[in-house]
Amino acid sequence: MRVPLSWLREYVDLPATETGRDVQAKLVDGGLEVETVEQLGQGLKGPLVVGKVLTIEELEGFKKPIRFCTVDVGQANGTGEPQEIVCGARNFAVGDKVVVVLPGAVLPGDFAIAARKTYGRTSHGMICSSDELGMGPDTTGGIIVLPPEHEVGTDAITLLELVDEVLDIAVTANRGDCLSMRGVARETAIAYGLPLRDPALLDVPAPNSYGYPVKVADPIGCDRFTARTVTGLDPEARSPVWLQRRLQKAGMRPISLAVDITNYVMIELGQPLHAYDRTLVDGPIGVRRAEPGELLTTLDGTKRKLDAADLVITDSRGPIGLAGVMGGANTEIADSVTDPGTGEVKGTTEVVIEAAHFDAVAIARTARRHKLTSEASKRFERGVDPQAASAAAQRTVDLLVLLAGGTAEAGVTEIVSPSAPRTISMRADHPDRVAGIEYGRETVVRRLQEVGCDAYGQDELVVTVPSWRPDLTEPNDLAEEVIRLEGYANLPSTLPKPPAGRGLTERQRLHRRVGRALAGAGFTEAPSYPFVAESVFDQLGLDKDDANRSVVKLVNPLSDEEPALRTTLLPGLLATLRRNDGRGNHDLALFETGLVFHPSANPGVAARLPVDRRPTDEEIAALNAVLPVQPRHVGAVIAGAREQAGWWGKGRPADWADAIEAARTVAREAGLELAVEQGQYGPWHPGRCAELYVFVEGVKTLAGYAGELHPRVVKAFGLPARSCAMELDLDVVERAGEGTVQAPSISTFPVATQDVALVVDAGVPAAAVENALSAGAGELLESIRLFDVYSGEQVGEGKKSLAYALRFRAADRTLTVEEATAARDAAVARAAEATGAVLRGA
């Protein structure tokens, strides 16, 4: 909203010494965001006067038309003689009044004017266009031609109001009232403690039965419609200079008198208006929702296909305007045209003025649906004062009568849907409690009255909200008004006092331990976005009926290419692996902990929880019931060298065992040992994939997978060869854990080590043999480790030898050789029974 300071002074008697910067500071203190103060006419220096064109001589022989003019500037040049000026513009004629800048003047941009020889003549000055004077938007695109009533020699700087200050205010979505001079003037009057001359306080005739007929079929979409008619307009009448200049300073182009007046009143009062050529309106004006597929050509010349939710203005033929957005071309105010034969000027002589109040949401949706933002829609969607409609119509009628010589018809149409004033109950000390400072009831009531509220009561106030503030709906809004007017700078700086914390939960501690353990094992944390494309599941090689293909889709995704929430951490980790490998970092170990998302068993729409109180347990439960299932996973990917080569040795590449070890590292933080079995699942190599199990309340439960990725997956994602990965469900691991991990006790007794080599079939997993040995060895077994795997002629075809180191220890004594041997034999017997293992060499 651009606010000329000279215009603002009409409604508030600001001190003469107050500058735009001073007003800016006051309004900013009051909560309005004044972005800039533009200094119009800065550096402008006269003489700049009104001149009359006496003669025009066309100069020949140049690439473009050039005219040599003599202009009467009165005594402004000190001699009274006609001023000789060379000009290339062609939109003026002999006898026209123009703006002339004389030698010695300086135009905006530090452009000094002097007599100079050009095109074979000497030009003593310049005939000015609006661009050269920095006047703002203009439709002529040429020389300024003034109305004939202005005297020759008049100071044009004063006449055209070229020196002024304009405040540019960024109006927030809740302050539609400040998209008007009336609203900004009210804020200025409050800031300075001065009275306001409200331009909406006009004598308005009562509605009667002989106004222009209007039928409102949708009273919810349009709760107020005022129509006035003016006849006998002079088609030759032009907008006076003062009106054009105010529109230009406010950032709008002067168009024609009738349109300029409606725009002027809209800026002044904040009420959008529309003027129809009455001779082009067929029958009563109506307001209704559009029929699907109806067409309307708007004033911008675009033919638009209407939606059933669009609110439209109609006559007996159909739509003649998009309500609150833009009028239709079929009832547009006609430009004045001179008949070349008779010299008669023809144009619009009768207009119907519309001043209506439309539903803010309906207008906002229509404007966005048609990608058509207008000055009217910007105001309606932020909230317009419904009580200002009749005053705005009256102001428009008065200006048309004054400036266009029209006659106001006595008929007044006003259709109003019944409504009661909005009231809010609020404790008188509520602003004190919000701000943490004591204002007192008198201050609260006084500040609310300044913004237009009526407040009654003592300890409990009943506040009636003014019609121009639709954003005031609850006590906190009223508290904000009091606080901002009393000054945010006056609020005390106090630090909040949070309640004493109870530390992290066991779940949180586990998640942090997992992250630290993986980081300590050489992994780097690499969080990724939780959004995926459904095509990624094909790249991962998942079966068509895999549960991970069932995704939760976003209604409004950040990217249409990734509309779903992830069901696995692998896509993000693999993309990070590819990106880093492509940038020359080939030895990588990355991990991530984060939520994955699965559709709820009872999908539905979540209810909006209240914000003025704590939701009840039932409300929270109902919300959780429709939310996606969101378990927390941990994933890791490894590629390149796991151990670097150097003087200490050759190093080694990462393989499937490193992925499994990463999973074991996670499980150990929960006090668990994973049960590892050979498996086969989607993205992993079928021969190098491990299924990872834990026991939850005695039930063997799948917790995740680890191993080398399938070559097809490596190729699909563009990964380094032999890349490995693991993923675990941390929630399952947490449920299987025993809570806080207890530190092991240190035994003072020595360990007894027994090695055993078992021959089994080549297809028997080493983990199965290890589990059998552990079960058979009993409680004396402290640890078991596979240290050698051999296959060859010595064990026979189709066989392999697994060598384990078994460590036995008792907590209360030193074990004898016999006890250790008995425990080893029991372990071997159990392994033989479970897997068919045979002692090597037996």
Side-chain angles (χ1 to χ4, degrees), residues 510-511 513-519 523 525 566 568-570 573 590-596 631-637 659 662-667 674 684 692 703-706 725-733:
L510 173 62
H511 295 164
R513 287 201 307 270
V514 166
R516 286 194 293 266
L518 288 173
F523 287 79
E525 188 171 13
R566 66 189 179 191
T568 168
L569 299 181
L570 289 183
L573 282 169
L590 309 174
F591 82 95
E592 177 181 6
T593 61
L595 300 179
V596 299
R632 182 173 290 274
H633 282 203
V634 56
V637 293
R664 283 179 164 144
T665 299
V666 171
L674 293 174
W684 281 276
L692 309 174
Y705 298 89
M726 78 86 182
E727 184 167 6
L728 278 176
D729 187 329
L730 261 182
D731 288 352
V732 171
V733 171

Side-chain angles (χ1 to χ4, degrees), residues 475-777:
N476 284 338
D477 296 330
L478 301 179
E480 182 183 8
E481 293 300 299
V482 175
I483 294 168
R484 75 176 180 88
L485 295 180
E486 282 295 305
Y488 292 118
N490 297 324
L491 293 177
S493 298
T494 57
L495 294 175
K497 297 179 180 179
R502 290 175 289 180
L504 300 177
T505 65
E506 180 56 35
R507 174 185 176 88
Q508 292 169 327
R509 282 195 287 267
L510 173 62
H511 295 164
R512 295 196 180 187
R513 287 201 307 270
V514 166
R516 286 194 293 266
L518 288 173
F523 287 79
T524 301
E525 188 171 13
S528 59
Y529 286 114
F531 312 115
V532 296
E534 290 184 89
S535 60
V536 76
F537 301 121
D538 295 327
Q539 294 177 287
L540 290 173
L542 300 187
D543 294 336
K544 297 297 182 183
D545 58 350
D546 194 291
N548 279 338
R549 283 185 176 270
S550 181
V551 296
V552 177
K553 290 188 178 180
L554 300 174
V555 175
N556 187 22
L558 293 178
S559 169
D560 291 336
E561 296 179 357
E562 296 180 330
L565 291 173
R566 66 189 179 191
T567 56
T568 168
L569 299 181
L570 289 183
L573 282 169
L574 298 182
T576 305
L577 178 64
R578 179 185 64 242
R579 183 166 56 252
N580 282 272
D581 180 71
R583 295 178 179 176
N585 190 6
H586 304 300
D587 302 323
L588 295 161
L590 309 174
F591 82 95
E592 177 181 6
T593 61
L595 300 179
V596 299
F597 306 86
H598 299 282
S600 169
N602 302 305
V605 178
R608 181 170 296 181
L609 297 182
V611 296
D612 57 343
R613 59 175 174 81
R614 184 190 182 279
T616 64
D617 293 341
E618 291 76 13
E619 289 172 330
I620 295 174
L623 176 65
N624 289 334
V626 298
L627 290 178
V629 180
Q630 304 174 51
R632 182 173 290 274
H633 282 203
V634 56
V637 293
I638 317 170
R642 186 64 179 129
E643 295 179 3
Q644 297 289 337
W647 58 265
W648 52 84
K650 295 182 179 179
R652 67 174 184 86
D655 60 16
W656 57 269
D658 294 301
I660 295 175
E661 182 58 28
R664 283 179 164 144
T665 299
V666 171
R668 281 193 289 269
E669 293 303 316
L672 299 173
E673 284 295 333
L674 293 174
V676 181
E677 297 182 7
Q678 185 175 359
Q680 183 173 341
Y681 180 68
W684 281 276
H685 192 294
R688 301 176 187 136
C689 173
E691 293 178 346
L692 309 174
Y693 289 93
V694 294
F695 288 87
V696 180
E697 297 179 354
V699 179
K700 187 178 180 181
T701 305
L702 180 66
Y705 298 89
E708 184 179 319
L709 293 173
H710 198 291
R712 286 198 298 267
V713 175
V714 170
K715 181 178 180 181
F717 281 91
L719 305 176
R722 310 300 292 270
S723 294
C724 302
M726 78 86 182
E727 184 167 6
L728 278 176
D729 187 329
L730 261 182
D731 288 352
V732 171
V733 171
E734 180 191 2
R735 290 199 301 272
E738 299 178 356
T740 304
V741 178
Q742 299 295 323
S745 58
I746 307 293
S747 176
T748 59
F749 297 99
V751 66
T753 303
Q754 294 278 347
D755 293 343
V756 60
L758 301 176
V759 178
V760 296
D761 291 340
V764 176
V769 178
E770 182 177 320
N771 291 336
L773 289 171
S774 297

